[in-house]
Amino acid sequence: MLDHTDMRILHELSKNSRIKMKDLGEKVHLTGQAAASRIAKLEENGVIEKYSITVNQEKLGCFMHAFINIYLHDIHHHPFLSFVKTQNQFILNHYKISGDGCYLLECRFPSNTYLNEFLENLNEFANYKISTVINKMD
């Protein structure tokens, strides 16, 4: 079971996973060595699975942000899934879902031209419903 200190460590690591152990320790009222020891235990117990980065997609030139609900009526999903594997330059996240649709794609595109081409190619495999992001709420 995680205690309050473990939760604070996770919170600080989620903001900056490259924080120095000394600085992390100060934020959670531990020594740097004690903080590192707690992190090692969280990793061993599978609470922390990996560390990652957040990339600013707009600075990479991908200004169009869209969520695409995928509707497959065929029981054979392999052609669609093969298509998805070839589109990793646009697809940020790919989820199998229940409810409204079969899959949900989170995508970024440099322009409407790229989005339109993606959707035309997608149409060969599935029907879809698209929602474009206006603003991310924090």
Side-chain angles (χ1 to χ4, degrees):
M1 189 74 181
L2 301 181
D3 64 14
H4 180 68
T5 303
D6 288 333
M7 295 302 291
R8 290 181 60 204
I9 288 171
L10 293 174
H11 175 74
E12 292 300 328
L13 287 176
S14 72
K15 293 191 312 188
N16 178 8
S17 62
R18 295 184 63 183
I19 190 170
K20 293 180 179 165
M21 291 301 111
K22 180 181 182 235
D23 296 336
L24 175 62
E26 288 174 7
K27 288 181 180 266
V28 299
H29 307 294
L30 294 173
T31 65
Q33 185 177 11
S37 189
R38 290 260 191 149
I39 290 171
K41 187 174 179 182
L42 291 167
E43 290 170 345
E44 288 171 19
N45 291 332
V47 175
I48 297 175
E49 294 181 340
K50 65 180 180 176
Y51 296 88
S52 65
I53 62 169
T54 302
V55 176
N56 183 323
Q57 293 291 322
E58 288 184 9
K59 291 196 179 195
L60 294 178
C62 293
F63 302 101
M64 298 291 305
H65 190 186
F67 289 88
I68 306 171
N69 276 354
I70 304 298
Y71 301 90
L72 297 174
H73 298 295
D74 192 342
I75 60 170
H76 303 289
H77 294 195
H78 184 71
F80 164 73
L81 295 172
S82 294
F83 167 74
V84 166
K85 287 181 183 176
T86 68
Q87 301 300 308
N88 60 359
Q89 73 271 26
F90 301 121
I91 299 173
L92 301 176
N93 292 297
H94 176 214
Y95 305 99
K96 185 171 184 163
I97 61 171
S98 65
D100 191 26
C102 302
Y103 297 93
L104 178 66
L105 304 178
E106 180 181 7
C107 302
R108 293 297 291 240
F109 301 94
S111 67
N112 278 331
T113 303
Y114 284 91
L115 170 60
N116 186 55
E117 183 179 334
F118 178 86
L119 295 175
E120 286 177 358
N121 292 330
L122 175 62
N123 239 358
E124 295 179 32
F125 307 101
N127 293 325
Y128 60 86
K129 183 169 55 173
I130 183 169
S131 298
T132 55
V133 175
I134 304 297
N135 192 18
K136 181 179 178 186
M137 308 303 287
D138 291 325

